[in-house]
Amino acid sequence: PNFATFVCPALIAGGTTGYFSASTVASLRHASVASYMKKITIPTLLLQGQGDTLFNLNEAAATYEALQKQGTEVKMVWHSWGHSVSSPQPGEFDSGNPDPAHQWETRRVVNWFYHYLKGHTSTSTGAPFSWFRDWVTYSGDAAPAFGHSNHFPVGKERSLYLSGSALTTDADAIQSGSQQYVTPPAGAPTRIDKLDALGGYLNLPLPEQDAPGTSVSWTSPALTDAWDVVGSPKLTLKVTAPLAVGGTPATDLVTFARIEDVAPDGTATQIHDLTAPIRVPHAKQAFTVTMPAFVHQFAAGHKIRLVLSGSSLNYRGGLVPSPVTVTTGSNTQVLQLPVTN
């Protein structure tokens, strides 16, 4: 019920073959906001959740930038909650008991309507871009936990170069090396993740781990200062996968990337459970991936880890099993993070 008629058959076909047909892609693009962006001329306030693996922050960012480029009045808020984390933080928003006097996001929405619908032009609509910071302590109203900027994107790109099995900020200290992992036959899952659609609601106690030989990683040294990341990491890679010849969706290499925060005790936490599924049509050519945006503080003493894996519980993997090799030794293999401090 309530789905367009093409959606369920397309999901079954995509889950079986590992990719969508051209007609399904066309239908999805037709339904996308990108297809009617030029018709949006009224002031638009975008609210998108950091706790959301179904519709990640890149969706709002793309809409924001497109509306801004065409001159439509637009502002954007990245709140804490979403489809994967159903409850807002205290003092942020409460749909059952909205209170603009004590809830920061509720107040933003009310002020937006007062300004544009009631005509109270003296009422501020807030900063062009605001984001919730879960590392900021507060009591009551969540206002202190939000960062603000007059522009988007924010921060300065900081580069972490793949170096052997490590990440380094020093482009002159990159070490040569190679790591290899395998992608499974028929896209079978070899990694256990939280279930994207259900995990936030059922809180299933699943151990998050990859089967041996199906992932590789690179880890930075312990940070001397905190890194506050706000936005989309960019990953540039070159891999070799001899059995994934590419040229058709059925023979493309499909792999998955994620970023983890490694605490001083060695505990690794996947940032907001976000995974970047990557389809690589030409496995011998360098490619750049815009990973899902997030807001996260890597505290001093913590390490940053990049992981590539052959599968994910939440995504259909590639059809062709293949060994995948990542060779380091130059500054072309790099993870870039937007850091605001």
Side-chain angles (χ1 to χ4, degrees):
N2 302 322
F3 280 100
T5 55
F6 79 92
V7 170
C8 292
L11 182 61
I12 294 171
T16 302
T17 65
Y19 56 91
F20 286 130
S21 68
S23 63
T24 294
V25 172
S27 296
L28 292 170
R29 291 193 185 282
H30 175 73
S32 170
V33 65
S35 69
Y36 54 86
M37 190 73 67
K38 293 181 179 180
K39 297 181 179 180
I40 303 175
T41 58
I42 61 172
T44 302
L45 178 62
L46 299 168
L47 308 175
Q48 191 80 10
Q50 297 178 36
D52 199 327
T53 54
L54 290 177
F55 307 101
N56 65 53
L57 297 171
N58 291 16
E59 306 286 348
T63 303
Y64 176 91
E65 291 182 311
L67 290 175
Q68 188 181 58
K69 184 178 180 180
Q70 70 185 29
T72 300
E73 177 69 21
V74 59
K75 294 187 177 182
M76 179 169 63
V77 173
W78 289 358
H79 52 233
S80 70
W81 48 289
H83 285 84
S84 306
V85 179
S86 56
S87 299
Q89 291 298 307
E92 192 178 13
F93 176 78
D94 185 346
S95 61
N97 184 29
D99 180 3
H102 300 97
Q103 298 164 12
W104 182 87
E105 190 173 12
T106 303
R107 188 161 58 250
R108 278 293 300 260
V109 173
V110 169
N111 287 348
W112 187 268
F113 289 143
Y114 261 87
H115 185 103
Y116 288 111
L117 295 185
K118 290 286 189 178
H120 296 180
T121 55
S122 62
T123 300
S124 172
T125 58
F129 175 45
S130 303
W131 61 96
F132 184 85
R133 301 169 294 179
D134 63 5
W135 61 89
V136 175
T137 57
Y138 66 93
S139 61
D141 195 299
F146 279 87
H148 310 281
S149 175
N150 288 326
H151 59 85
F152 176 86
V154 296
K156 181 179 179 180
E157 296 287 351
R158 300 189 67 171
S159 296
L160 291 166
Y161 301 96
L162 280 64
S163 173
S165 60
L167 294 173
T168 179
T169 58
D170 187 352
D172 296 324
I174 297 172
Q175 299 293 315
S176 298
S178 66
Q179 295 192 68
Q180 186 178 87
Y181 63 103
V182 295
T183 61
T190 57
R191 169 170 169 76
I192 299 175
D193 301 285
K194 289 183 179 178
L195 290 171
D196 279 359
L198 302 176
Y201 297 98
L202 297 182
N203 196 25
L204 300 176
L206 297 174
E208 298 186 42
Q209 59 187 19
D210 297 280
T214 64
S215 69
V216 292
S217 65
W218 297 263
T219 306
S220 75
L223 300 176
T224 55
D225 299 296
W227 285 25
D228 297 348
V229 176
V230 180
S232 296
K234 289 184 173 59
L235 175 63
T236 300
L237 282 176
K238 185 177 181 180
V239 303
T240 302
L243 301 183
V245 296
T248 68
T251 58
D252 288 344
L253 170 66
V254 177
T255 190
F256 303 88
R258 65 184 188 271
I259 297 174
E260 297 178 344
D261 183 327
V262 184
D265 65 1
T267 303
T269 303
Q270 183 175 343
I271 307 302
H272 293 300
D273 298 313
L274 294 168
T275 296
I278 306 168
R279 179 175 293 276
V280 188
H282 304 287
K284 295 182 180 180
Q285 298 179 8
F287 57 91
T288 298
V289 177
T290 300
M291 299 180 68
F294 60 77
V295 178
H296 180 76
Q297 182 182 77
F298 294 93
H302 287 226
K303 301 176 182 179
I304 300 172
R305 176 174 293 162
L306 169 68
V307 183
L308 293 182
S309 62
S311 78
S312 167
L313 183 62
N314 292 296
Y315 295 92
R316 182 65 156 85
L319 299 182
V320 180
S322 179
V324 182
T325 303
V326 184
T327 301
T328 64
S330 72
N331 62 2
T332 57
Q333 311 263 70
V334 60
L335 173 66
Q336 295 173 296
L337 298 175
V339 179
T340 61
N341 58 337

